[in-house]
Amino acid sequence: MKKILVLLCTLLLIAATLCACEAKSAYDIAVRNGFVGTETEWLESLKGDKGEDGKNTDQENPQGLDFFLLPDGTYAVGIGEAVFAKEITVPATYKGKAVTCVGLPFEVDIDEEVLLSYGIGFISSPLLEKINLPNSITTIGYAAFLECPALTSITIPEGVIEICEYAFAGCDALTSITIPESVTKICDYAFGSCENLENVEILSTEIDIHADAFWGCTKLSPAAPEITVTAHGTLTWAPVDGAEYYEVMLDYDRDSIVKLTACEVAAIQEGGHNYYVRAVKGSFRSDWTSQYLTKLAPVAASTITYENGVLSWDYVSGANHYQIIINGVTVATEHYGNNYTFDAGNQGFTVQIRACNDWDNYINSELSDLKSFG
Protein backbone atom coordinates (compact mmCIF):
# COMPACT_ATOMS: atom_id res chain seq x y z
CA MET A 1 0.00 0.00 0.00
CA LYS A 2 1.30 3.42 -0.87
CA LYS A 3 1.76 5.78 2.01
CA ILE A 4 -0.42 8.83 2.40
CA LEU A 5 2.62 10.93 1.50
CA VAL A 6 1.71 10.14 -2.08
CA LEU A 7 -1.59 11.91 -1.47
CA LEU A 8 0.23 14.90 -0.02
CA CYS A 9 2.46 15.10 -3.07
CA THR A 10 -0.63 15.03 -5.23
CA LEU A 11 -2.11 17.82 -3.15
CA LEU A 12 0.98 19.97 -3.59
CA LEU A 13 0.93 19.42 -7.35
CA ILE A 14 -2.73 20.40 -7.50
CA ALA A 15 -2.04 23.46 -5.39
CA ALA A 16 0.77 24.49 -7.74
CA THR A 17 -1.56 24.08 -10.68
CA LEU A 18 -4.19 26.21 -9.01
CA CYS A 19 -1.64 28.90 -8.32
CA ALA A 20 -0.74 29.00 -12.00
CA CYS A 21 -4.33 29.46 -13.15
CA GLU A 22 -5.19 32.75 -14.80
CA ALA A 23 -8.28 33.37 -12.66
CA LYS A 24 -9.55 36.05 -10.33
CA SER A 25 -8.04 36.00 -6.85
CA ALA A 26 -10.10 35.69 -3.69
CA TYR A 27 -9.54 39.41 -3.10
CA ASP A 28 -11.02 40.22 -6.52
CA ILE A 29 -14.01 38.07 -5.66
CA ALA A 30 -14.39 39.83 -2.31
CA VAL A 31 -14.34 43.24 -4.02
CA ARG A 32 -16.91 42.05 -6.50
CA ASN A 33 -19.07 41.05 -3.55
CA GLY A 34 -18.86 44.45 -1.86
CA PHE A 35 -15.56 44.70 0.06
CA VAL A 36 -14.00 48.19 0.04
CA GLY A 37 -10.27 48.49 0.75
CA THR A 38 -6.82 47.24 -0.26
CA GLU A 39 -5.89 43.57 -0.49
CA THR A 40 -3.78 43.90 2.68
CA GLU A 41 -6.75 45.39 4.52
CA TRP A 42 -8.94 42.57 3.25
CA LEU A 43 -6.51 39.90 4.51
CA GLU A 44 -6.30 41.58 7.90
CA SER A 45 -10.10 41.80 8.12
CA LEU A 46 -10.32 38.04 7.90
CA LYS A 47 -8.08 37.45 10.90
CA GLY A 48 -10.42 39.02 13.43
CA ASP A 49 -9.56 41.41 16.26
CA LYS A 50 -6.74 40.57 18.68
CA GLY A 51 -6.60 41.43 22.35
CA GLU A 52 -3.49 42.48 24.25
CA ASP A 53 -2.62 38.83 24.86
CA GLY A 54 -2.67 38.18 21.13
CA LYS A 55 -5.79 36.03 21.28
CA ASN A 56 -8.70 36.44 18.92
CA THR A 57 -11.45 38.64 20.41
CA ASP A 58 -13.83 38.56 17.45
CA GLN A 59 -17.11 37.51 19.09
CA GLU A 60 -18.42 36.22 15.78
CA ASN A 61 -15.29 34.09 15.30
CA PRO A 62 -13.82 33.36 18.74
CA GLN A 63 -11.80 30.34 17.55
CA GLY A 64 -9.97 32.41 14.94
CA LEU A 65 -11.04 30.30 11.98
CA ASP A 66 -10.29 31.41 8.44
CA PHE A 67 -13.12 32.23 6.04
CA PHE A 68 -12.82 32.39 2.29
CA LEU A 69 -15.42 34.22 0.23
CA LEU A 70 -16.66 31.98 -2.57
CA PRO A 71 -17.94 33.20 -5.95
CA ASP A 72 -21.56 32.57 -4.95
CA GLY A 73 -21.22 34.95 -1.99
CA THR A 74 -21.06 32.23 0.69
CA TYR A 75 -18.02 31.27 2.75
CA ALA A 76 -15.65 28.34 2.98
CA VAL A 77 -14.01 27.71 6.37
CA GLY A 78 -10.45 26.71 7.28
CA ILE A 79 -8.31 26.07 10.34
CA GLY A 80 -6.87 29.59 10.83
CA GLU A 81 -5.58 30.10 14.37
CA ALA A 82 -7.29 26.97 15.73
CA VAL A 83 -4.46 24.75 14.54
CA PHE A 84 -4.00 23.13 17.96
CA ALA A 85 -7.68 22.92 18.93
CA LYS A 86 -9.09 19.53 19.95
CA GLU A 87 -12.70 20.46 19.21
CA ILE A 88 -14.01 23.03 16.74
CA THR A 89 -17.52 24.30 16.12
CA VAL A 90 -18.05 25.87 12.72
CA PRO A 91 -20.66 28.65 12.63
CA ALA A 92 -23.51 28.51 10.13
CA THR A 93 -22.92 32.12 9.05
CA TYR A 94 -20.05 34.57 8.91
CA LYS A 95 -20.57 38.30 8.40
CA GLY A 96 -24.18 37.62 7.60
CA LYS A 97 -23.52 35.04 4.87
CA ALA A 98 -23.83 31.26 4.96
CA VAL A 99 -20.83 29.00 5.53
CA THR A 100 -21.32 26.29 2.89
CA CYS A 101 -17.96 24.58 2.40
CA VAL A 102 -15.23 23.08 4.58
CA GLY A 103 -11.97 23.91 2.87
CA LEU A 104 -12.18 24.77 -0.79
CA PRO A 105 -14.30 23.26 -3.54
CA PHE A 106 -11.97 21.92 -6.22
CA GLU A 107 -13.11 24.32 -8.90
CA VAL A 108 -12.21 27.51 -6.97
CA ASP A 109 -9.03 29.19 -8.27
CA ILE A 110 -6.90 30.96 -5.65
CA ASP A 111 -3.62 32.84 -5.81
CA GLU A 112 -0.49 31.84 -3.89
CA GLU A 113 -0.80 34.49 -1.18
CA VAL A 114 -4.31 33.36 -0.29
CA LEU A 115 -3.24 29.71 -0.40
CA LEU A 116 -0.46 30.43 2.11
CA SER A 117 -2.85 32.45 4.29
CA TYR A 118 -5.57 29.83 4.42
CA GLY A 119 -4.09 26.47 3.64
CA ILE A 120 -6.80 24.10 2.52
CA GLY A 121 -9.49 23.40 5.10
CA PHE A 122 -8.27 21.64 8.25
CA ILE A 123 -5.48 19.69 6.58
CA SER A 124 -3.02 18.03 9.00
CA SER A 125 -4.54 19.53 12.15
CA PRO A 126 -2.52 17.48 14.66
CA LEU A 127 -4.87 17.52 17.69
CA LEU A 128 -8.31 17.89 16.15
CA GLU A 129 -10.55 15.16 17.61
CA LYS A 130 -14.03 16.46 16.95
CA ILE A 131 -15.56 19.03 14.63
CA ASN A 132 -19.16 20.20 14.73
CA LEU A 133 -20.48 21.24 11.34
CA PRO A 134 -23.62 23.34 10.78
CA ASN A 135 -26.48 22.30 8.52
CA SER A 136 -25.51 25.10 6.13
CA ILE A 137 -22.57 22.99 4.83
CA THR A 138 -23.15 21.56 1.34
CA THR A 139 -19.58 20.57 0.42
CA ILE A 140 -16.80 18.81 2.29
CA GLY A 141 -14.03 20.37 0.23
CA TYR A 142 -10.88 19.15 -1.45
CA ALA A 143 -8.48 17.62 1.14
CA ALA A 144 -10.56 19.26 3.88
CA PHE A 145 -9.40 16.89 6.64
CA LEU A 146 -6.47 15.23 4.92
CA GLU A 147 -4.12 13.62 7.48
CA CYS A 148 -5.94 14.66 10.66
CA PRO A 149 -4.56 11.79 12.78
CA ALA A 150 -6.67 12.43 15.92
CA LEU A 151 -10.06 12.98 14.24
CA THR A 152 -12.41 10.43 15.79
CA SER A 153 -15.80 12.11 15.57
CA ILE A 154 -17.57 13.92 12.78
CA THR A 155 -21.21 14.05 11.78
CA ILE A 156 -21.73 14.90 8.14
CA PRO A 157 -24.76 17.20 8.14
CA GLU A 158 -27.89 16.41 6.18
CA GLY A 159 -27.59 18.85 3.31
CA VAL A 160 -24.03 17.96 2.27
CA ILE A 161 -24.13 17.12 -1.43
CA GLU A 162 -20.51 16.31 -2.27
CA ILE A 163 -17.51 14.90 -0.43
CA CYS A 164 -14.52 15.98 -2.51
CA GLU A 165 -11.20 14.33 -3.36
CA TYR A 166 -9.00 13.39 -0.35
CA ALA A 167 -11.53 14.95 2.05
CA PHE A 168 -10.79 12.49 4.88
CA ALA A 169 -7.79 10.68 3.43
CA GLY A 170 -5.35 9.43 6.05
CA CYS A 171 -7.65 10.02 9.04
CA ASP A 172 -6.47 6.90 10.85
CA ALA A 173 -8.53 7.48 14.00
CA LEU A 174 -11.87 7.42 12.16
CA THR A 175 -13.66 4.13 12.80
CA SER A 176 -17.22 4.93 11.74
CA ILE A 177 -18.96 7.34 9.39
CA THR A 178 -22.54 7.86 8.24
CA ILE A 179 -23.15 9.28 4.78
CA PRO A 180 -26.49 11.12 4.83
CA GLU A 181 -29.16 10.73 2.18
CA SER A 182 -28.38 14.17 0.72
CA VAL A 183 -24.91 13.15 -0.50
CA THR A 184 -24.91 12.45 -4.24
CA LYS A 185 -21.17 12.13 -4.84
CA ILE A 186 -18.14 10.74 -3.01
CA CYS A 187 -15.01 11.58 -4.98
CA ASP A 188 -11.69 9.90 -5.67
CA TYR A 189 -9.79 8.89 -2.47
CA ALA A 190 -12.26 10.80 -0.28
CA PHE A 191 -11.59 8.29 2.52
CA GLY A 192 -8.30 6.97 1.16
CA SER A 193 -6.10 5.06 3.63
CA CYS A 194 -8.47 5.40 6.59
CA GLU A 195 -7.05 2.14 7.87
CA ASN A 196 -9.26 1.86 10.97
CA LEU A 197 -12.53 2.77 9.28
CA GLU A 198 -14.66 -0.34 9.76
CA ASN A 199 -18.25 0.87 9.63
CA VAL A 200 -19.71 3.00 6.83
CA GLU A 201 -23.45 3.56 6.61
CA ILE A 202 -24.57 5.00 3.29
CA LEU A 203 -28.16 6.26 3.50
CA SER A 204 -28.44 7.56 -0.05
CA THR A 205 -29.88 5.23 -2.67
CA GLU A 206 -28.76 7.42 -5.56
CA ILE A 207 -25.09 8.21 -5.10
CA ASP A 208 -22.00 8.28 -7.31
CA ILE A 209 -19.15 6.66 -5.39
CA HIS A 210 -15.79 6.75 -7.14
CA ALA A 211 -14.18 3.33 -7.45
CA ASP A 212 -11.24 4.47 -5.28
CA ALA A 213 -13.22 6.54 -2.77
CA PHE A 214 -12.35 4.03 -0.01
CA TRP A 215 -8.97 2.95 -1.36
CA GLY A 216 -6.72 1.59 1.37
CA CYS A 217 -9.53 1.13 3.94
CA THR A 218 -8.32 -2.32 4.85
CA LYS A 219 -11.01 -3.05 7.45
CA LEU A 220 -13.76 -2.37 4.91
CA SER A 221 -12.28 -3.94 1.83
CA PRO A 222 -12.12 -7.60 0.91
CA ALA A 223 -8.75 -9.33 0.86
CA ALA A 224 -6.59 -8.88 -2.22
CA PRO A 225 -6.55 -11.84 -4.61
CA GLU A 226 -3.49 -14.06 -4.70
CA ILE A 227 -2.72 -14.53 -8.39
CA THR A 228 -1.20 -17.60 -9.98
CA VAL A 229 -0.42 -18.17 -13.64
CA THR A 230 -1.13 -21.20 -15.77
CA ALA A 231 0.46 -22.11 -19.06
CA HIS A 232 -0.64 -20.41 -22.26
CA GLY A 233 -1.47 -17.08 -20.69
CA THR A 234 -4.20 -17.44 -18.05
CA LEU A 235 -4.34 -15.71 -14.66
CA THR A 236 -6.17 -17.55 -11.89
CA TRP A 237 -6.85 -16.77 -8.24
CA ALA A 238 -8.63 -18.38 -5.32
CA PRO A 239 -12.09 -16.97 -4.49
CA VAL A 240 -11.93 -14.06 -2.03
CA ASP A 241 -14.31 -14.28 0.93
CA GLY A 242 -17.22 -11.84 0.48
CA ALA A 243 -16.19 -10.68 -2.99
CA GLU A 244 -19.10 -10.05 -5.35
CA TYR A 245 -16.90 -9.81 -8.44
CA TYR A 246 -13.36 -8.99 -9.55
CA GLU A 247 -11.85 -6.22 -11.63
CA VAL A 248 -8.96 -6.85 -14.02
CA MET A 249 -6.88 -3.99 -15.41
CA LEU A 250 -4.21 -4.06 -18.11
CA ASP A 251 -0.99 -2.00 -17.70
CA TYR A 252 -2.68 0.33 -15.17
CA ASP A 253 -4.97 1.69 -17.87
CA ARG A 254 -8.26 2.31 -16.09
CA ASP A 255 -10.13 2.31 -19.39
CA SER A 256 -9.16 -1.34 -19.78
CA ILE A 257 -10.90 -2.53 -16.58
CA VAL A 258 -13.19 -5.53 -17.03
CA LYS A 259 -15.51 -7.07 -14.42
CA LEU A 260 -15.49 -10.82 -13.88
CA THR A 261 -17.30 -13.21 -11.59
CA ALA A 262 -14.99 -16.07 -12.53
CA CYS A 263 -11.60 -16.36 -10.85
CA GLU A 264 -9.58 -16.49 -14.03
CA VAL A 265 -8.87 -14.47 -17.14
CA ALA A 266 -6.99 -15.32 -20.31
CA ALA A 267 -4.35 -12.87 -21.48
CA ILE A 268 -6.14 -9.90 -23.02
CA GLN A 269 -3.40 -8.92 -25.47
CA GLU A 270 -0.47 -10.62 -27.16
CA GLY A 271 3.01 -9.92 -25.82
CA GLY A 272 4.15 -9.01 -22.31
CA HIS A 273 1.83 -6.95 -20.09
CA ASN A 274 1.16 -6.22 -16.43
CA TYR A 275 -2.22 -7.44 -15.22
CA TYR A 276 -3.83 -6.06 -12.05
CA VAL A 277 -6.65 -7.80 -10.17
CA ARG A 278 -8.74 -6.69 -7.19
CA ALA A 279 -11.80 -8.00 -5.35
CA VAL A 280 -14.96 -5.91 -5.01
CA LYS A 281 -17.52 -6.07 -2.20
CA GLY A 282 -20.28 -3.48 -2.45
CA SER A 283 -18.67 -0.02 -2.57
CA PHE A 284 -15.36 -1.34 -1.29
CA ARG A 285 -12.40 -2.71 -3.22
CA SER A 286 -9.25 -4.51 -2.24
CA ASP A 287 -5.79 -3.32 -3.16
CA TRP A 288 -4.62 -4.21 -6.64
CA THR A 289 -2.37 -7.24 -6.93
CA SER A 290 -0.34 -7.58 -10.08
CA GLN A 291 1.40 -10.14 -12.24
CA TYR A 292 3.44 -9.85 -15.40
CA LEU A 293 2.07 -12.16 -18.03
CA THR A 294 3.27 -12.99 -21.51
CA LYS A 295 0.93 -14.62 -23.98
CA LEU A 296 3.01 -16.00 -26.83
CA ALA A 297 1.63 -16.67 -30.27
CA PRO A 298 2.39 -20.16 -31.64
CA VAL A 299 5.27 -20.53 -34.04
CA ALA A 300 3.76 -20.84 -37.52
CA ALA A 301 4.86 -24.02 -39.32
CA SER A 302 5.40 -22.08 -42.51
CA THR A 303 8.25 -20.13 -40.90
CA ILE A 304 10.39 -23.23 -40.16
CA THR A 305 13.13 -23.97 -42.69
CA TYR A 306 15.98 -26.49 -42.95
CA GLU A 307 19.06 -25.75 -45.04
CA ASN A 308 22.62 -27.10 -44.83
CA GLY A 309 21.97 -28.87 -41.54
CA VAL A 310 20.41 -25.82 -39.82
CA LEU A 311 16.79 -25.45 -38.66
CA SER A 312 15.61 -21.83 -38.64
CA TRP A 313 12.37 -20.07 -37.67
CA ASP A 314 11.08 -16.55 -37.19
CA TYR A 315 11.67 -14.87 -33.83
CA VAL A 316 8.56 -14.84 -31.62
CA SER A 317 8.02 -11.57 -29.73
CA GLY A 318 8.28 -12.13 -25.98
CA ALA A 319 10.07 -15.49 -26.19
CA ASN A 320 13.38 -15.96 -24.40
CA HIS A 321 13.90 -19.58 -25.44
CA TYR A 322 12.35 -22.39 -27.50
CA GLN A 323 11.53 -26.07 -27.18
CA ILE A 324 12.42 -28.20 -30.21
CA ILE A 325 10.75 -31.52 -30.93
CA ILE A 326 12.13 -33.72 -33.74
CA ASN A 327 10.38 -36.92 -34.73
CA GLY A 328 8.22 -36.63 -31.62
CA VAL A 329 11.20 -36.41 -29.25
CA THR A 330 12.16 -33.23 -27.37
CA VAL A 331 15.77 -32.55 -28.32
CA ALA A 332 16.02 -29.12 -26.67
CA THR A 333 13.96 -27.74 -23.78
CA GLU A 334 15.72 -24.37 -23.44
CA HIS A 335 17.24 -23.47 -26.76
CA TYR A 336 18.28 -19.83 -27.07
CA GLY A 337 18.22 -18.25 -30.49
CA ASN A 338 16.04 -19.02 -33.50
CA ASN A 339 18.18 -21.56 -35.31
CA TYR A 340 19.34 -25.07 -34.40
CA THR A 341 22.07 -27.23 -35.97
CA PHE A 342 20.78 -30.69 -36.76
CA ASP A 343 22.33 -33.30 -39.07
CA ALA A 344 19.51 -35.39 -40.49
CA GLY A 345 21.72 -37.08 -43.06
CA ASN A 346 19.52 -38.47 -45.82
CA GLN A 347 16.63 -39.29 -43.48
CA GLY A 348 13.31 -37.48 -43.49
CA PHE A 349 12.09 -35.98 -40.20
CA THR A 350 9.34 -33.90 -38.59
CA VAL A 351 9.73 -30.77 -36.46
CA GLN A 352 7.60 -28.85 -33.98
CA ILE A 353 8.71 -25.76 -32.07
CA ARG A 354 7.26 -24.05 -29.02
CA ALA A 355 8.10 -20.48 -27.89
CA CYS A 356 8.68 -20.11 -24.13
CA ASN A 357 9.08 -17.39 -21.52
CA ASP A 358 10.13 -18.01 -17.93
CA TRP A 359 11.22 -14.56 -16.78
CA ASP A 360 8.32 -14.31 -14.34
CA ASN A 361 5.76 -17.02 -14.75
CA TYR A 362 6.76 -19.54 -17.43
CA ILE A 363 4.21 -19.02 -20.17
CA ASN A 364 4.54 -21.19 -23.28
CA SER A 365 2.96 -20.94 -26.69
CA GLU A 366 1.14 -23.81 -28.32
CA LEU A 367 3.28 -26.13 -30.42
CA SER A 368 3.71 -25.16 -34.02
CA ASP A 369 2.06 -27.24 -36.71
CA LEU A 370 3.96 -30.36 -37.62
CA LYS A 371 6.53 -29.58 -40.31
CA SER A 372 7.99 -32.41 -42.44
CA PHE A 373 11.35 -32.41 -44.24
CA GLY A 374 12.91 -34.98 -46.62
Side-chain angles (χ1 to χ4, degrees), residues 39 41 63 77 104 110 113 119 159 161 182 195 228 230 243 256 271 278-279 290 304 336:
E39 186 169 2
E41 291 171 336
Q63 296 176 98
V77 62
L104 297 174
I110 55 177
E113 183 176 3
I161 297 171
S182 59
E195 295 184 356
T228 58
T230 64
S256 73
R278 66 182 175 186
S290 64
I304 303 173
Y336 296 88

Side-chain angles (χ1 to χ4, degrees), residues 311-332:
L311 281 171
S312 299
W313 55 90
D314 290 344
Y315 168 75
V316 177
S317 178
N320 74 334
H321 68 270
Y322 300 88
Q323 293 177 359
I324 303 170
I325 300 171
I326 298 177
N327 291 330
V329 177
T330 301
V331 298

Side-chain angles (χ1 to χ4, degrees), residues 199-222:
N199 181 33
V200 175
E201 185 176 9
I202 300 175
L203 302 181
S204 177
T205 56
E206 296 183 6
I207 185 170
D208 177 15
I209 302 177
H210 191 279
D212 287 317
F214 293 91
W215 175 86
C217 297
T218 54
K219 292 188 176 181
L220 288 173
S221 303

